Amino acid sequence: MSASTFSRFKPDFLRKKEETAAVDSTLPVDDKNPATVTGDGIARTQEPASDDPEKDVVPAEDAQRGVQQVEAVTLTWTKPYLIAVFFNMWMLYFVNAMQSSILYNLLPFATSAFEAHSLLTVIYIVSNSMTAAIYIPLAKMLDLWGRAEGFLLMVGFATLGMILMASSNGITTFCVAQVFYSIGFGGLIYSVDVITADVSKLKNRGLAYAFTSSPYIITAFAGSKVSDEFYYNVSWRWGFGAFSIILPFVAAPLFFILKIHLKKAESHGLVVRERSGRSLGQNIWFYVQEFDALGVFLFASGLTIFLLPFTLADTAPQGWKSGYIISMIIVGFVLLVLFGLHESFLAKQPFLNVNLLTNRTVIGACSLCTTYQISYYCWNSYFSSFLQVVSNLSIAEAGYVGSTFDVLSGALLLGVGLLIRKTGYFKWLLYFAVPLYIFAQGLMIHFRQPNQYIGYIVMCQIFISVGGAIIIICEQLAVLAASDHQHVAAVLALLYVSGNIGGAVGNSICGAIWTNTFPEALMRFLPEESQADFDTIYGDLDTQLSYAVGSPTRIGIQKAYGYAQEKMLIAGTCIMVLSFVWVLMIRNINVAKISQTKGTVF
């Protein structure tokens, strides 16, 4: 980060005079933003965060414990610690970006090792569904227990997931590992995004998110090369296992900075720890209600059971008429209905806040997120395999093409963040981004076929990257602008849930199209001498790549891929048209005029 970027970190910190004594006089003050003392004995900055200056020197009294704690932390620390936190969050994004790039490139080979390449979408559906279910309880954990505690738990899940993936000897263990991995890294990045919102002004939040996500510029190409090295010179297992060692060391500084300054805030009287007076049993029951454990179970199990049949139907004995396929759809639907009834009438602390669900901007942003994710994942799951089999690229080269989004978004969003900071508005960017994304995805229908020049595919990926990156950052700012600091974690959780549901639905559509088009096309295009190897070719990427480029069998496989990809892209493009409706629902909010945070923030 440059010195010019550092200069934009300005504390909005106020303090009382010594005789008001609620806050220790040793707390930091920024000399460039001096406080003036008024007749009421309260020091005011030139731009107080609220109409009542006294509220700006202490955490909000009506906020939940986790929100009070993080406000106390930002009121206590100084600029160097703020900078250190941003650097550590950047490093966490770097680790996530590197491992996700490696996972994206190595996962097809890991599943092929268990002869389960065609189960890729099943793994994604289950993990996405389970991850979607964790965000709301995690938001409550961040609000009730604290940011540091929720963050630490997610680091533990992510580490466990990578250990299990590295040591798995069957597809069942690997699927379990993928669930822990997805929950861990999804929750970790969500926690980092919540903390980023805690330590930045709303007008600078787009820039803050752009900075923390900028490591993708580096890892997009480095990750692909590292994937290549792991697969050919070490093993795909160490591609996962290495990060089970790296992640805890990178995550530790953020946890300790938050905890150290929370202790400091307690010593200054900003936070008072009070005993609940509850017994162990009462505590367990209290948190079961607070986290809405029954709602989490109904939502996660219902969504997963409902979506799986869309992928499994083609392999069932009687297709969609199979008894267990029909049963899964009915049971999943019933569980989701029960979830809605439970939230409406029984839940002490509802899974979803009714006020958030009725906000026009929140509805529009979350619907846009869901639609975008459905559209994207309609075709993305088998894109890496397509590039290797059809475009004849190596693992690294396929990774480079697949990482186009990461490279461009990392650079582009810094400029987008500055534009939002300068103008105060973000909605106008969506009027450019959504049409560009639909246009690029439509072009892909034509260019993602055998014998097409790879440059055209890269061109389309560039357009998709520009449009998609702007859409994502505007979604985040929209829900945050429609909320206050008390509900930052909740609205971000709602956005993340919407995105993961969209990802699960998109993968279901992708899996359904794949299982209903690729096998049929493969059987049709394979030469007679390869028909006996159909099952092996269908389920194993290594087998597909083993046939020489230009051979009749390789050409047949390529044609089957092209046929399936065409159908996936048509579905994704049609679904994305709904985005125009969601954009119109989002209010044109001036983020420069909204204040949410306290203390030394960016």
Side-chain angles (χ1 to χ4, degrees):
M1 186 189 291
S2 65
S4 61
T5 304
F6 283 150
S7 68
R8 289 192 290 270
F9 287 80
K10 296 181 180 179
D12 289 328
F13 174 54
L14 311 169
R15 63 177 181 176
K16 294 183 181 180
K17 287 182 74 176
E18 197 171 290
E19 55 265 34
T20 60
V23 183
D24 193 300
S25 61
T26 61
L27 293 176
V29 178
D30 186 0
D31 294 335
K32 295 182 181 180
N33 193 15
T36 58
V37 180
T38 62
D40 58 5
I42 298 174
R44 303 175 187 270
T45 55
Q46 294 174 359
E47 296 180 357
S50 68
D51 294 333
D52 184 354
E54 186 171 350
K55 293 181 180 178
D56 297 327
V57 299
V58 293
E61 293 182 1
D62 59 344
Q64 296 183 88
R65 177 183 170 187
V67 179
Q68 289 180 335
Q69 286 180 348
V70 77
E71 288 185 352
V73 167
T74 57
L75 284 164
T76 304
W77 67 16
T78 53
K79 273 187 183 180
Y81 284 103
L82 175 64
I83 295 169
V85 164
F86 267 96
F87 176 74
N88 196 208
M89 291 191 294
W90 187 92
M91 285 298 299
L92 285 165
Y93 256 95
F94 178 85
V95 171
N96 178 66
M98 181 66 79
Q99 62 79 26
S100 63
S101 177
I102 291 172
L103 177 77
Y104 177 76
N105 292 313
L106 294 184
L107 189 58
F109 294 97
T111 53
S112 292
F114 310 126
E115 297 184 354
H117 178 247
S118 291
L119 291 179
L120 270 175
T121 52
V122 178
I123 295 173
Y124 287 138
I125 290 167
V126 174
S127 59
N128 277 344
S129 300
M130 296 302 295
T131 304
I134 199 65
Y135 289 125
I136 296 296
L138 177 56
K140 292 187 176 183
M141 183 182 296
L142 296 176
D143 285 342
L144 289 173
W145 287 353
R147 276 26 176 181
E149 289 77 5
F151 170 74
L152 182 64
L153 180 62
M154 293 302 107
V155 171
F157 278 157
T159 303
L160 176 61
M162 288 184 291
I163 292 172
L164 289 174
M165 278 196 287
S167 60
S168 61
N169 292 313
I171 193 64
T172 303
T173 306
F174 194 84
C175 286
V176 173
Q178 179 71 14
V179 170
F180 276 107
Y181 162 86
S182 297
I183 289 174
F185 270 103
L188 185 152
I189 292 302
Y190 163 73
S191 300
V192 169
D193 285 347
V194 171
I195 295 170
T196 302
D198 290 329
V199 299
S200 62
K201 296 179 182 178
L202 186 58
K203 71 175 183 179
N204 293 330
R205 206 155 291 163
L207 192 58
Y209 282 137
F211 169 72
T212 55
S213 61
S214 60
Y216 286 105
I217 301 173
I218 302 171
T219 60
F221 295 133
S224 299
K225 183 61 178 175
V226 172
S227 303
D228 227 23
E229 294 297 321
F230 269 121
Y231 183 71
Y232 290 114
N233 299 320
V234 188
S235 76
W236 61 262
R237 294 182 184 277
W238 268 110
F240 305 135
F243 286 92
S244 66
I245 302 170
I246 295 170
L247 177 62
F249 285 97
V250 176
L254 178 59
F255 175 79
F256 285 115
I257 288 175
L258 292 175
K259 295 301 287 184
I260 289 169
H261 283 87
L262 180 59
K263 289 290 184 183
K264 187 176 180 181
E266 290 174 357
S267 68
H268 291 156
L270 285 171
V271 178
V272 179
R273 295 180 66 90
E274 297 179 355
R275 296 186 64 84
S276 66
R278 295 185 296 267
S279 65
L280 177 61
Q282 290 172 329
N283 255 334
I284 293 174
W285 178 242
F286 171 79
Y287 285 113
V288 165
Q289 291 179 307
E290 287 294 315
F291 292 142
D292 191 18
L294 180 57
V296 172
F297 171 76
L298 291 173
F299 179 75
S301 57
L303 186 65
T304 304
I305 293 171
F306 181 78
L307 292 175
L308 275 177
F310 291 93
T311 294
L312 300 179
D314 191 62
T315 58
Q318 297 178 344
W320 288 99
K321 296 179 181 179
S322 299
Y324 71 87
I325 294 294
I326 297 172
S327 298
M328 289 176 73
I329 294 175
I330 294 174
V331 171
F333 179 77
V334 169
L335 287 173
L336 291 174
V337 171
L338 288 176
F339 163 73
L341 294 174
H342 167 76
E343 294 300 300
S344 301
F345 302 108
L346 298 177
K348 180 181 177 181
Q349 295 293 335
F351 192 55
L352 300 175
N353 189 304
V354 175
N355 292 330
L356 296 177
L357 292 177
T358 56
N359 185 294
R360 176 182 128 190
T361 298
V362 173
I363 293 172
C366 290
S367 299
L368 177 61
C369 183
T370 301
T371 302
Y372 169 77
Q373 295 293 335
I374 292 173
S375 175
Y376 180 77
Y377 283 104
C378 272
W379 53 265
N380 183 67
S381 295
Y382 291 100
F383 185 40
S384 177
S385 303
F386 171 89
L387 291 172
Q388 294 175 65
V389 175
V390 181
S391 300
N392 308 316
L393 303 183
S394 67
I395 297 175
E397 291 168 340
Y400 298 153
V401 176
S403 298
T404 304
F405 185 101
D406 297 332
V407 176
L408 284 178
S409 65
L412 174 70
L413 289 183
L414 291 171
V416 172
L418 286 171
L419 275 175
I420 294 171
R421 185 179 189 273
K422 184 72 174 177
T423 64
Y425 294 96
F426 60 87
K427 183 177 178 178
W428 62 276
L429 291 164
L430 291 172
Y431 292 124
F432 162 76
V434 171
L436 178 64
Y437 186 90
I438 295 173
F439 170 71
Q441 195 158 282
L443 286 179
M444 276 287 201
I445 298 171
H446 174 71
F447 291 124
R448 199 171 295 177
Q449 295 293 328
N451 302 317
Q452 287 286 357
Y453 177 52
I454 188 64
Y456 291 129
I457 294 178
V458 173
M459 176 192 71
C460 294
Q461 283 293 105
I462 291 173
F463 291 155
I464 285 174
S465 303
V466 173
I470 295 174
I471 289 171
I472 290 172
I473 200 167
C474 288
E475 292 166 355
Q476 290 178 310
L477 284 178
V479 296
L480 291 171
S483 178
D484 55 14
H485 194 197
Q486 165 78 343
H487 296 102
V488 159
V491 292
L492 278 179
L494 188 58
L495 184 69
Y496 274 61
V497 168
S498 302
N500 275 81
I501 291 174
V505 173
N507 274 308
S508 294
I509 295 172
C510 178
I513 293 174
W514 176 266
T515 55
N516 284 281
T517 58
F518 184 73
E520 176 190 342
L522 188 62
M523 184 67 74
R524 184 168 71 250
F525 292 127
L526 279 179
E528 187 67 32
E529 63 269 17
S530 300
Q531 292 288 335
D533 299 322
F534 171 82
D535 290 336
T536 307
I537 294 172
Y538 174 62
D540 188 3
L541 179 59
D542 279 322
T543 301
Q544 296 170 10
L545 293 172
S546 67
Y547 293 98
V549 175
S551 66
T553 301
R554 183 66 171 258
I555 292 173
I557 297 170
Q558 290 174 336
K559 288 181 178 179
Y561 263 96
Y563 180 76
Q565 283 280 317
E566 180 184 40
K567 305 306 178 187
M568 294 174 185
L569 285 161
I570 290 173
T573 304
C574 292
I575 290 168
M576 194 61 189
V577 174
L578 292 171
S579 298
F580 290 113
V581 178
W582 313 135
V583 171
L584 293 175
M585 291 182 66
I586 297 174
R587 290 188 175 90
N588 192 30
I589 301 172
N590 187 340
V591 296
K593 294 183 178 180
I594 300 175
S595 180
Q596 292 181 340
T597 52
K598 300 180 180 182
T600 305
V601 296
F602 171 42

